[in-house]
Every structure is written in C-alpha cells, then in structure tokens.
Amino acid sequence: MERIKVDKVPTSRMGGKDCLKQEETPDADADDGNNNTTKKKKLKLFCGVYSHDGQRDSIRLAALSYGIKCDGFLAFSTATIPSLGMVALMHRGNETYQNMFQKTRSIQSYVATHYLFDYDYFHLGGDDMHVIVENMRSLMLEYEREGYSGNKEGRMFGQLAIKPRAGNLIFTGGPGYTLDRIGLKKLHDFMPKCNPNKVTYSEDGEITRCVRNLNLEWSDNRDKCTGQQRSFTEMPDVTYNEKPGKGTYQQHQWSYYANLDHPTIKGVKVGAKLGLDAASNHTMAFHRLRYPGWMARHHALIYRACDASTPLGNLTDIGVDGSITAGGA
C-alpha cells in the first residue's frame, strides 16, 4: 500500500511489464529533430459541478482547492455569482434533488453550446466531490495515446457501478464522469431524444442510458497496473473500511469490483482490494465531502499542506502546491 500520490509529471499507467511511463510535461519545449523547438499540446480540462445557492461555502472550497487547477470551472446553481464561479441555469421542472436528471441535461447542453471548442475534456460531478486534477491529466494523456477502438468515436470515462437489481452498468455521477469533445458533441446532439420529460434523481443512470446510443468508447478508469478503482462514490474513510457482501449498495459494488478481470493481465481477477489498498495511489476523485471543513482537510492531506505545527503536519514529507493557503489544514 502506498499513500495517494499527486502526479507532478503526467504519468501513463499502461499496464503490462512497462506499467508506468512518464510523459513530457505539456507545453514544454521539445526538439523536433531539426533543431526546431516546438510546443507539446496541453490538453485542456473543464470541471463543472451541479449545486444550488445554499451551497456557496462548498462551491468556494471546490473552486479554491481543485477548481483553480482545472483550465475552466463552473458551478451550476440557482444564483449567478461570478466571483464564486456560480451560474444560474434554467431547466425543465422544479429545482429539486428528484429532478437532477433535467438539471444535468441543461448543464451538458450549456457547456456544449458555450465551451465545446475551448476544452478537450469535460468533467461533471457533485459539489461535494474532490478531484485530484494532476492525476486526471495523466489519465487524459493515457486515453490520447490509446485512441478509439474499432469504429468508435468519442469517449466517456469514470467509475462504472452495477445496479444491484437491474444488473446494468452506469457511470457514477457523484465523483464525476468525463466526456471528450467528440463525446460531448454527440451527447448534445442527442439531447432532444434523451428522455426530455423524465423526472428522476438518477442523472448518472439516465445519462449513461442515453450515451449507449452514441457509439462512444466506454472507459472504466481503473488503474491499469493494479486493477484498483480511481474514483469513489464515498469519502476516504468509508472507502477504506468497506467490505464485499450483499447487504449495502457499497458492499454490492465491492463484490462486483473484486470479480472483475484485471484490466491488462489476462486470466487474472482483480480480487478484493480492502483497507488502504481499496484506492489506487493514482486516485482521481472522492465524493460526499459535503461540508467545507471536510473538503479543506481532505485537500490539505492529499497535497501535504498541513502546517508543520499541527499533528498531521508530521506527514507533510513531500512538498506539493496545495493551492488553498501556504499551510493550514
């Protein structure tokens, strides 16, 4: 077990014998072989969250922690406050949790209409998620290297979960799922047919159902080296204490993950990943950090930004830019 790392240099986890491969830093000068210096393209990431005006403090923490590391950030809310990156967005039906799908349809259409050609990848999740953007950029580079398979065009990736009763797979919405530009364009074009009148809280299930029609590359964002998950519907403490079983929704998911084939090693099952092995050390997102203090503490721990005078400051053995303050957990 290793603690979660932040990729200072984008690193592809390609699996096989050469599991890790460091990439050139995006936008770094590179010699093309003819003594000409060129710039390597930096992939641009848009991060969006769905929220409401009562969550201003959480939105502010999201913006100040991981949001400023994205190339673009917006919180889709019920009030427009530019200084917090909040925009009020109309959608069909009432502003309630039970109508999250209609809100998400409007968000995806808004982003595609206004920002489609400004970014390469588009991540959307809850206002209580925390994204380790550096590790997300590594995964974006992995997918750029892979390209698409067969006749597929466009990509959607995230944590895949199985519906306990229906048995079908969906991309989990809490920690967020990501579309590339082609994928977002296809989803936007399909929106008039994407259950335009349905009222449900299950935005992730319904968006997944619509995406099934689009011939996209579906990508489970598991760690290719270890088979561990890299996005989580729960907080770290719940994730690290979960067990496989048939009781709770989370236990059902862990049983499903344990029986998956290894992503790159043929004939090998992933097996149960429990305790501190539950999360890849290249994890990208956790969910349910629903209080600002939880979000700030989580961010400080990930980025080793706790002040040296605090008990947790003894763990700050690696200096990484924490972004919120120079110290202070």
Side-chain angles (χ1 to χ4, degrees):
M1 185 278 297
E2 296 181 75
R3 65 185 299 171
I4 292 174
K5 295 179 178 179
V6 177
D7 289 344
K8 293 183 180 180
V9 176
T11 304
S12 293
R13 300 178 73 75
M14 303 305 293
K17 294 181 179 179
D18 299 323
C19 188
L20 303 181
K21 180 178 177 60
Q22 287 194 340
E23 303 282 352
E24 292 180 27
T25 303
D27 287 348
D29 290 338
D31 192 329
D32 65 3
N34 297 313
N35 295 321
N36 295 318
T37 299
T38 61
K39 289 285 186 180
K40 186 177 181 181
K41 177 189 174 185
K42 177 184 178 182
L43 297 171
K44 291 189 175 182
L45 172 65
F46 175 89
C47 299
V49 300
Y50 37 77
S51 189
H52 58 83
D53 192 33
Q55 290 290 93
R56 291 188 187 186
D57 288 342
S58 293
I59 292 170
R60 180 175 180 273
L61 258 297
L64 290 175
S65 57
Y66 70 85
I68 61 173
K69 295 174 178 290
C70 304
D71 300 291
F73 174 88
L74 274 180
F76 298 94
S77 182
T78 52
T80 297
I81 306 176
S83 62
L84 293 180
M86 289 171 54
V87 59
L89 190 63
M90 300 294 291
H91 58 80
R92 183 170 296 178
N94 297 326
E95 178 68 28
T96 66
Y97 176 71
Q98 296 301 322
N99 198 31
M100 276 300 303
F101 173 52
Q102 290 300 327
K103 182 164 187 163
T104 302
R105 289 180 73 251
S106 292
I107 290 171
Q108 297 287 19
S109 294
Y110 180 94
V111 173
T113 299
H114 295 283
Y115 302 115
L116 184 65
F117 298 103
D118 295 330
Y119 304 96
D120 300 287
Y121 287 86
F122 303 84
H123 186 77
L124 178 66
D127 58 20
D128 54 350
M129 74 173 173
H130 180 275
V131 180
I132 305 172
V133 175
E134 294 86 346
N135 295 355
M136 172 74 82
R137 293 189 188 279
S138 288
L139 187 57
M140 288 156 52
L141 282 173
E142 284 182 30
Y143 290 141
E144 290 291 306
R145 289 170 60 91
E146 286 182 11
Y148 308 133
S149 62
N151 64 348
K152 296 184 183 298
E153 285 189 284
R155 186 186 299 275
M156 184 174 184
F157 65 87
Q159 183 190 42
L160 284 171
I162 189 166
K163 288 278 192 177
R165 293 181 181 177
N168 56 311
L169 292 172
I170 66 167
F171 285 103
T172 57
Y177 47 80
T178 311
L179 288 155
D180 68 5
R181 183 183 296 145
I182 294 175
L184 179 60
K185 175 64 165 58
K186 282 187 171 184
L187 178 60
H188 177 56
D189 292 344
F190 188 75
M191 275 302 179
K193 299 178 182 179
C194 184
N195 297 324
N197 299 308
K198 188 163 187 177
V199 176
T200 177
Y201 68 90
S202 182
E203 45 80 29
D204 45 9
E206 293 303 318
I207 290 293
T208 302
R209 191 169 288 113
C210 292
V211 167
R212 291 181 190 276
N213 296 280
L214 305 181
N215 195 35
L216 300 186
E217 189 80 55
W218 279 40
S219 299
D220 183 346
N221 66 6
R222 289 185 297 154
D223 191 317
K224 293 182 178 66
C225 296
T226 65
Q228 293 165 300
Q229 298 292 312
R230 291 202 274 193
S231 293
F232 300 91
T233 57
E234 289 289 346
M235 302 177 292
D237 64 322
V238 175
T239 297
Y240 293 134
N241 284 286
E242 199 54 84
K243 300 286 190 298
K246 296 182 179 180
T248 67
Y249 173 82
Q250 289 299 324
Q251 287 177 324
H252 190 87
Q253 297 308 317
W254 285 111
S255 296
Y256 165 69
Y257 297 144
N259 285 293
L260 287 174
D261 292 330
H262 193 284
T264 55
I265 304 176
K266 292 183 178 180
V268 174
K269 296 289 185 182
V270 171
K273 300 291 186 181
L274 304 177
L276 294 178
D277 287 327
S280 164
N281 64 352
H282 284 252
T283 284
M284 294 187 309
F286 284 101
H287 182 221
R288 300 194 194 280
L289 295 158
R290 57 174 55 101
Y291 301 113
W294 292 4
M295 177 82 75
R297 184 180 181 84
H298 175 82
H299 184 82
L301 288 170
I302 291 291
Y303 286 89
R304 285 69 160 171
C306 290
D307 191 276
S309 64
T310 67
L312 292 175
N314 293 326
L315 299 177
T316 57
D317 55 341
I318 302 176
V320 181
D321 176 19
S323 299
I324 293 181
T325 61

